[in-house]
Amino acid sequence: MNSTVRKHLARLALPLALMLGLAGCVPSDPNAQDTEGAGDDGANQLVVGTTAGVVNFNPLVGNSRTDTWVTNLMYPSMMTLNDNAEKVPAVATEWGYSEDGLTAWVELRDDMEWTDGEPLNAEDVIFTINAIKEEQLGTVAGMIAAYESAEAVSDTRIEFSLSRPDGAFLNSVGFWMPIVPEHIFGEAESVGEFANDSDWVSAGPFVLTEVEDGQRYVLEATENYPLVESGSAQVEEVVFRVFPDVNTEVLALRAGELDMIGNALPPAVAEDLSGDESVQLFTVPSLGWAHMQYNMRRPPLDQVEVRRALAHAVDYEAIRQVVLGGNAISANSSVLTPVYEQWQDGLNLEEYAYDPEMSRQLLEDAGFTDEDGDGAYDGLSFEMVYDQGDPMISTWAELVRDQSLEAGITIELSGLDRNTYLARTNERDFDIYAGSWAIIDEPQSNFALLFSPDGFINYAGVDDPEINRLMEEAASALTPEEAQEPLQEIARIVHDQVYDNVMYVETFNFAASSEWSGFVPKPSDLLSIVNPESLASVSQE
């Protein structure tokens, strides 16, 4: 363990001790409105903690975790994930492609309806995908480049016409596209600008009824949710309450003011809670990764030597062991992570070695100097932005800063509230971005979002002609075997050019009160125990 890590551990010790010590003597919150499983009206109520308010109630444009948790409960998708992260039926029952790959088809359930009595049918699916295509809404817009049109063959069958074979089209649209009601969203002049902030209708297990912006979101159970065996949710209400951070959520859980925490727990907190009989823990694997991206629109980050120097300046194993308590694995600095074994055969990428001297040599070879002799190279000062509500990233950001300084690189940390962080990343207003992806499940389509010049989440500004060619080749493959070679070559280029510095794949811990049972954990911190099937299945013992 190097001196920087030891110093960092020492700084962590006091606040962690204070946090764990306070956990046993939590004062009651006099303003708490939703406690002990009963709301103001006596309803059987599940209270969920989150660290951010809802930014957008329109599921086609909102992209924060809280946005997704709330809107997922009202706007279902055609597919969901099982325990093995495989796409399985939800609103859709079957799907497939024609032999030439130019037609994709989906068969829907016939028992779904919106809370105002209108049926959820093929026309709603077609309206949704057409709105996304026409207005280029959200991440899904980057997944449907091959989509041309769709026809409702019946109320439950849709046939999509594609401009070229696209082996990721159905899985991408099926899982990522929430279905919205045409008879509501179609009344808006622009679907993308539709706020959807009142008079909600739902085809999920719950429907929003009350909002205290940035504070509290109340959803009532709907009468018809055939995607669970009981046909409707077991609880009458779900309430999302906003807390400043995970630590205060834990205090509230122990005080009985919360029934579950939506955010993943820091490893030390999970370990402490493991001895508390009033709390139950759930562990799920990540389907994404934590990473840093360097804004190549801003010199000198457009130089690969600088990006490689930054990559070699960080001790990734120390981050995994010290900050994450071993609850993470190396991604081999690869965007094809070991979690998805089907892409690994023959890939053979290695993690960037922690080597400050190599970083210094790379920088000096590139012409950087330290004229004033302060140990930091001139002109190498970068701002790194991150979500201050993320306890893991907030912690390792300090480690990255301290270790980078040993390599002669100055990093200034900017921990931002969630909404400001999202706004600045979307505007590409940063030098270094630190964050994580919840789910990267279909590299055939996800890579286009990440690395195509107009990719929705191409925060780094990647524009590489060879990657663009390989993405077209991979996208047209109808089987994983055909897609493997171009996808692996993309991963090698991204690794070599440090277009994305993938740091680790995390294992997440979540907590709920032991008074509740029936949770249905799913992979990723986006679904975890907050997914619609889970919240529709829980009941109080």
Side-chain angles (χ1 to χ4, degrees):
M1 187 177 296
N2 64 43
S3 59
T4 301
V5 175
R6 285 197 295 272
K7 292 175 184 174
H8 196 73
L9 274 172
R11 286 200 299 271
L12 283 173
L14 180 58
L16 181 60
L18 285 173
M19 181 180 70
L20 297 180
L22 284 172
C25 52
V26 182
S28 176
D29 179 0
N31 298 316
Q33 300 180 44
D34 316 295
T35 62
E36 299 179 355
D40 296 339
D41 57 0
N44 181 22
Q45 187 181 76
L46 178 79
V47 184
V48 183
T50 179
T51 55
V54 175
V55 178
N56 202 317
F57 294 103
N58 185 333
L60 302 184
V61 295
N63 64 358
S64 78
R65 280 178 174 76
T66 307
D67 290 6
T68 302
W69 290 338
V70 170
T71 58
N72 270 357
L73 297 177
M74 299 193 290
Y75 307 103
S77 298
M78 290 187 284
M79 303 176 195
T80 185
L81 298 180
N82 64 12
D83 292 347
N84 297 320
E86 298 166 328
K87 304 297 191 309
V88 294
V91 174
T93 57
E94 298 178 273
W95 52 86
Y97 294 95
S98 63
E99 287 189 9
D100 62 6
L102 296 176
T103 300
W105 59 268
V106 170
E107 189 72 35
L108 305 179
R109 299 177 65 103
D110 62 2
D111 55 358
M112 301 291 296
E113 65 178 26
W114 302 99
T115 46
D116 60 1
E118 292 291 324
L120 186 163
N121 56 30
E123 295 294 349
D124 289 317
V125 175
I126 293 172
F127 168 79
T128 304
I129 193 171
N130 283 340
I132 291 171
K133 178 181 175 65
E134 290 168 8
E135 300 187 33
Q136 291 294 292
L137 304 177
T139 57
V140 178
M143 302 176 179
I144 58 173
Y147 171 67
E148 290 190 329
S149 62
E151 178 184 2
V153 179
S154 69
D155 285 345
T156 59
R157 186 180 175 89
I158 308 147
E159 291 187 357
F160 302 93
S161 295
L162 307 179
S163 60
R164 55 171 171 75
D166 182 353
F169 175 79
L170 283 175
N171 279 353
S172 298
V173 170
F175 176 70
W176 285 102
M177 187 181 78
I179 305 166
V180 299
E182 179 183 16
H183 65 285
I184 301 295
F185 282 61
E187 294 297 313
E189 185 173 339
S190 164
V191 173
E193 295 178 4
F194 179 46
N196 191 37
D197 55 1
S198 63
D199 301 322
W200 296 276
V201 300
S202 166
F206 300 94
V207 59
L208 259 174
T209 57
E210 183 182 348
V211 169
E212 295 175 29
D213 192 31
Q215 301 292 322
R216 186 168 174 265
Y217 306 86
V218 180
L219 299 99
E220 292 183 357
T222 61
E223 295 180 357
N224 177 52
Y225 186 61
L227 300 187
V228 293
E229 188 174 348
S230 57
S232 62
Q234 299 295 299
V235 295
E236 296 175 4
E237 287 183 353
V238 168
V239 178
F240 286 84
R241 286 184 56 199
V242 180
F243 289 78
D245 51 45
V246 174
N247 297 335
T248 51
E249 288 180 303
V250 171
L251 297 178
L253 179 66
R254 279 181 147 159
E257 296 167 2
L258 270 183
D259 298 311
M260 60 175 285
I261 297 174
N263 308 93
L265 301 173
V269 174
E271 183 177 355
D272 178 61
L273 286 175
S274 65
D276 188 336
E277 293 183 355
S278 69
V279 174
Q280 54 184 322
L281 296 178
F282 302 88
T283 300
V284 302
S286 172
L287 298 178
W289 63 66
H291 63 154
M292 291 186 289
Q293 287 190 312
Y294 311 116
N295 192 343
M296 296 187 298
R297 304 169 188 84
R298 295 183 176 181
L301 292 170
D302 56 344
Q303 298 181 45
V304 67
E305 295 86 356
V306 175
R307 301 195 298 274
R308 287 172 180 158
L310 283 161
H312 282 295
V314 180
D315 187 343
Y316 306 102
E317 182 61 19
I319 287 175
R320 291 190 290 269
Q321 295 303 322
V322 175
V323 181
L324 294 149
N327 291 293
I329 61 172
S330 170
N332 302 322
S333 302
S334 171
V335 290
L336 289 177
T337 70
V339 172
Y340 294 100
E341 295 181 359
Q342 67 267 35
W343 307 117
Q344 297 303 305
D345 186 27
L347 185 57
N348 299 325
L349 293 177
E350 295 183 359
E351 185 170 78
Y352 299 114
Y354 172 52
D355 191 339
E357 290 306 314
M358 181 181 291
S359 296
R360 287 183 173 276
Q361 190 62 55
L362 285 164
L363 294 171
E364 290 174 11
D365 290 346
F368 290 92
T369 59
D370 177 17
E371 296 295 336
D372 58 9
D374 65 353
Y377 291 101
D378 304 331
L380 282 182
S381 179
F382 304 113
E383 180 197 29
M384 183 162 82
V385 301
Y386 58 94
D387 177 2
Q388 64 183 6
D390 187 317
M392 294 295 95
I393 294 178
S394 296
T395 305
W396 62 246
E398 297 182 17
L399 203 55
V400 169
R401 176 197 58 194
D402 296 347
Q403 292 177 340
S404 296
L405 191 57
E406 292 183 9
I409 304 169
T410 301
I411 292 179
E412 297 178 1
L413 301 182
S414 291
L416 307 171
D417 68 82
R418 179 74 182 173
N419 295 340
T420 303
Y421 165 75
L422 291 173
R424 288 196 55 184
T425 52
N426 286 332
E427 294 167 2
R428 279 51 170 171
D429 181 17
F430 60 87
D431 297 322
I432 302 174
Y433 152 93
S436 61
W437 301 132
I439 302 177
I440 299 293
D441 60 327
E442 297 288 341
Q444 284 173 269
S445 60
N446 296 156
F447 280 4
L449 299 173
L450 291 164
F451 305 124
S452 66
D454 57 353
F456 182 72
I457 49 177
N458 181 4
Y459 296 153
V462 178
D463 186 2
D464 187 308
E466 181 62 6
I467 283 184
N468 296 341
R469 184 191 70 78
L470 289 164
M471 284 193 296
E472 287 186 10
E473 182 180 340
S476 62
L478 290 180
T479 67
E481 292 76 16
E482 294 174 359
Q484 185 178 56
E485 184 174 339
L487 290 176
Q488 288 189 343
E489 188 56 26
I490 292 172
R492 293 188 187 96
I493 296 172
V494 171
H495 180 280
D496 180 64
Q497 296 295 313
V498 202
Y499 288 148
D500 198 339
N501 187 357
V502 184
M503 303 170 68
Y504 58 81
V505 179
E506 189 172 0
T507 299
F508 298 114
N509 294 290
F510 297 89
S513 165
S514 296
E515 295 181 357
W516 293 83
S517 63
F519 290 100
V520 183
K522 290 179 181 288
S524 93
D525 62 337
L526 191 64
L527 299 178
S528 64
I529 55 173
V530 199
N531 65 80
E533 182 181 355
S534 182
L535 297 191
S537 301
V538 297
S539 61
Q540 195 166 24
E541 294 183 335

